[in-house]
Amino acid sequence: MKLGKMIAMVDNMKPNQYTKDMKTEWLSEVEGTVVDEILNLAAGNQIVFNGYDYNNDVEKELLVPDTHLDIYQYYLFAKIDYQNSELERYNNDTAMYYAALEDYAKYYRRTHRQKPIRGFHNF
């Protein structure tokens, strides 16, 4: 899914007062996590991610496939609810985000060869 479409979808599902630039910053945070903690652990991956800018990247495809888009959805929901001091909703959104992120990480590890761990010897 494209960055602009994800922001529009979240705005439609959870109306809020936050700017597209702010939500783009939040999407950059979650993309950085996906790159560092999942994608770059696979053999052959050395992705450099510097974040998104809404005006330049509105049509850019997000890195996680459409089957796991709930990662972005729950992360944005959590950020919105946290900023609105809706802590019970924030806690629920955060739990759903981490579950979705872990589900994607497991899928990615099953379908991609991981980099060898340095210093580990299996004798």
Side-chain angles (χ1 to χ4, degrees):
M1 179 175 285
K2 295 184 183 339
L3 181 133
K5 189 173 179 184
M6 172 55 68
I7 290 174
M9 183 181 84
V10 167
D11 285 346
N12 201 22
M13 295 171 79
K14 189 181 216 48
N16 62 84
Q17 71 275 23
Y18 302 102
T19 65
K20 289 179 170 78
D21 288 332
M22 179 60 73
K23 286 176 271 204
T24 300
E25 215 172 283
W26 294 337
L27 282 173
S28 293
E29 290 173 7
V30 73
E31 284 283 72
T33 298
V34 167
V35 167
D36 292 344
E37 296 182 11
I38 299 171
L39 301 180
N40 278 346
L41 297 181
N45 282 358
Q46 196 55 43
I47 300 167
V48 176
F49 179 73
N50 295 317
Y52 294 123
D53 175 80
Y54 185 81
N55 294 324
N56 296 324
D57 299 323
V58 69
E59 290 296 318
K60 193 168 261 187
E61 271 304 310
L62 297 171
L63 296 173
V64 174
D66 287 355
T67 53
H68 296 277
L69 289 178
D70 51 344
I71 293 170
Y72 301 119
Q73 174 190 328
Y74 288 122
Y75 192 81
L76 290 177
F77 284 0
K79 291 298 239 180
I80 291 166
D81 288 335
Y82 181 79
Q83 295 299 319
N84 291 339
S85 298
E86 297 176 0
L87 297 182
E88 188 173 332
R89 287 183 180 184
Y90 164 77
N91 288 331
N92 290 338
D93 297 334
T94 301
M96 296 299 289
Y97 160 72
Y98 281 116
L101 186 66
E102 182 63 25
D103 185 49
Y104 176 64
K106 288 177 183 177
Y107 159 78
Y108 197 81
R109 289 182 193 118
R110 279 193 315 270
T111 58
H112 295 80
R113 184 183 184 111
Q114 297 298 295
K115 290 178 182 174
I117 298 171
R118 286 192 232 161
F120 180 75
H121 300 285
N122 188 9
F123 296 106

